[in-house]
Each structure stands twice: as structure tokens, then as C-alpha cells.
Amino acid sequence: MSVQRQTKQLQAIQTAFETAGRPLSIDEIHELAGRDIESLGVRTVYRAVRRLQENGDVSIVNVPGGSDRYELASVAAEHHHHFHCTACDRFFDIHGCPGGLKKLLPKGFKLEHHELTLSGLCESCA
Amino acid sequence: MSVQRQTKQLQAIQTAFETAGRPLSIDEIHELAGRDIESLGVRTVYRAVRRLQENGDVSIVNVPGGSDRYELASVAAEHHHHFHCTACDRFFDIHGCPGGLKKLLPKGFKLEHHELTLSGLCESCA
DNA sequence: TAACTAATGGCAATTAATTGCCATTAATGC
DNA sequence: GCATTAATGGCAATTAATTGCCATTAGTTA
């Protein structure tokens, strides 16, 4: 069976996730990892992210409006939410959760998950 | 200058919003209004929704993952959130808001808006 | 009712995001 | 180092959503 190779492209992509510490879009990954690997192809980013997802190392973050972001599965493992800066279009992790959502439900509805996205200006844009 | 005509297609689309009482996707509008107007074209739905938006009668609802939904501006005017049924893929209005979000913010961040999407099973799917 | 023209709707064209293809590169095991 | 083959990356192709085009339909006003 096939063995996964540890390429420097994949390493750069993993490093990008770790140093960014926030959810990244495909383009952001391409940009950040591309600083290490010149001429990093977007095609490679798509493949790497897919593989990291399949390996359970990275989780997808569906955001309202914009394109999908990806974050380390270790981060996704603990319940949290996100902040979207409308100026720089970056997403950040928000720790904590308002809670008490069940009482907002119409009767008969069954709550399984929830997603909260705060938006405004991040520290560097404010 | 041009006068907007009240066509039966546009009426059916407006009626669809009012009777549905929940955010609708382009396809849902097409389906619902299409029950009144046979052979209603999707092209017409796109144009009508665009015009209703420009007239301020309809607002766009960005949802995580899926395609955009649209709701009556009168509904959007009062702060509320949404519930997404993972079984039938419909969205519903949720009245109320958990509040207390400001204390979740990292320091230096400025909160302007927020969006909450509950998900699970709606009454008829549960 | 007639004239005017906004609106419709079917299909082709566009757009943006993602993937297939494949020759080339380079990581791995011996 | 060498052989093997997974991975890369550039471009073309695909996909899905939306829009342009335009002949036809049908509100609107006089």
C-alpha cells in the first residue's frame, strides 16, 4: 500500500496552520505557505488540505457568505466560535460560548449543533 | 422614467415569501412561486429577488455552507437568528438572542454584528 | 382598444471554485 | 546512490451558480 511522503510543501502548509493560529482559506494557506516554498501551486494546496482533512488533522469551517476556512482539528476539537474581521477578511478563534440556546428553540425542534460568528474589526484593523 | 409593473410572477414570488414565513433559497422561491405560475423561469426569480432587494423589500441571509437565502426585510428588521434543519435543508426564524457576546471578544476587537445558526431537526423532521 | 415598453423565460455565455490530466520532481526504502 | 512511485504544479476541463441576450408576452397608460 502507498506511503504518505512528508514533502516540504505539506510541511509548509502544516506550519502555516500552526503559526497562523486561526482558520485559513485556501488562498491564505497558499499565500502563507508560499512564503516558504516558492512557486507553491494552488493545486497542491487543495490536495494537501483534502488529505489533511481525510487524515483527521484539519477540519473545515463553514462561514456565512465567504469561502470555506480550515483549522487544525486539535483546535476544532474544543467547542469554540469565530470572529470575522470585515476589514481584512480574516477569521479568528473565539473561546467561550454564550450558552442557553435551547430555550430559543421553537417547540418540537431538536437542537444538535450551533454556530456563532461575531463580526467587526480585529485588533490590528480597529 | 420606467415604471415597475406588477406582474403575476412578481406577485407569486412575494406571496411565496409571505406564506412561507421563513428564509427561502432561489430554488425554494422557484418551487413555491412556481405552484401558482406554471413555467415560472429561474431567470425571473433571480431578477425579481434582485429587484426586491434593491427596493428594500427583501434582505439576503448568508448562511454557513449552503447557498444564500432571502427573507422579507420587515422580518430582517428585527434582530433574530436562524435554525437550519439538516434533514430537509430548510431554514427557520429563531426569535431571541443569547446576548452577552461582548465578553467573548479578544481585547482590542470591536464587535459590530453577529450571526447565530442553530441546527438540528425541525418539527416535521424530528 | 391600441401603442408603448417593462418583464418574461429559454438558452447560451460567463464567472469562480475546484478537479483531471500528465510530464516532471523528489521522498523513501534498500 | 539507485530504483520506485508518491507528490507536485501548470493548464485545461469540469462544475455550479448567475447573468447576457433577445424574441415574445403582457402590464400600463392614454
Side-chain angles (χ1 to χ4, degrees), chain A residues 64 115-119, chain B residues 61-64 81-82 113-117:
Chain A
E115 191 168 314
L116 174 65
T117 306
L118 308 184
S119 62
Chain B
V61 180
N62 289 127
V63 303
H81 294 295
H82 297 107
H113 302 290
H114 69 273
E115 191 168 316
L116 173 65
T117 306

Side-chain angles (χ1 to χ4, degrees), chain A residues 3-5 7 9 41 44 47:
Chain A
V3 176
Q4 290 201 345
R5 296 178 179 177
T7 65
Q9 285 86 348
T44 299
R47 260 187 305 237

Side-chain angles (χ1 to χ4, degrees), chain B residues 3-5 7 9 39 41 43-44 47:
Chain B
V3 175
Q4 290 201 346
R5 297 178 179 179
T7 65
Q9 286 86 348
S39 82
R43 190 69 191 83
T44 298
R47 261 187 304 236

Side-chain angles (χ1 to χ4, degrees), chain A residues 3-126:
Chain A
V3 176
Q4 290 201 345
R5 296 178 179 177
Q6 188 64 10
T7 65
K8 56 184 188 302
Q9 285 86 348
L10 184 59
Q11 284 179 329
I13 289 169
Q14 288 173 312
T15 301
F17 276 114
E18 284 152 14
T19 62
R22 60 185 188 81
L24 300 175
S25 67
I26 293 290
D27 285 344
E28 285 176 328
I29 298 166
H30 187 210
E31 148 71 15
L32 291 173
R35 294 178 187 172
D36 291 338
I37 311 294
E38 67 175 314
S39 82
L40 172 66
V42 194
R43 190 71 191 82
T44 299
V45 176
Y46 275 105
R47 260 187 305 237
V49 169
R50 163 78 57 95
R51 186 160 43 241
L52 289 170
Q53 274 190 94
E54 290 172 350
N55 291 352
D57 296 321
V58 158
S59 302
I60 191 171
V61 179
N62 289 127
V63 303
S67 51
D68 292 340
R69 314 282 156 146
Y70 300 88
E71 67 185 356
L72 290 174
S74 57
V75 174
E78 71 177 289
H79 184 68
H80 69 291
H81 295 294
H82 297 107
F83 180 95
H84 176 221
C85 177
T86 55
C88 64
D89 200 33
R90 292 183 298 178
F91 278 78
F92 299 88
D93 290 322
I94 294 288
H95 301 292
C97 177
L101 302 176
K102 220 159 195 169
K103 62 172 171 288
L104 300 179
L105 275 186
K107 62 170 151 314
F109 282 50
K110 190 182 170 199
L111 181 62
E112 290 174 348
H113 304 290
H114 69 273
E115 191 168 314
L116 174 65
T117 306
L118 308 184
S119 62
L121 298 176
C122 74
E123 184 173 26
S124 47
C125 289

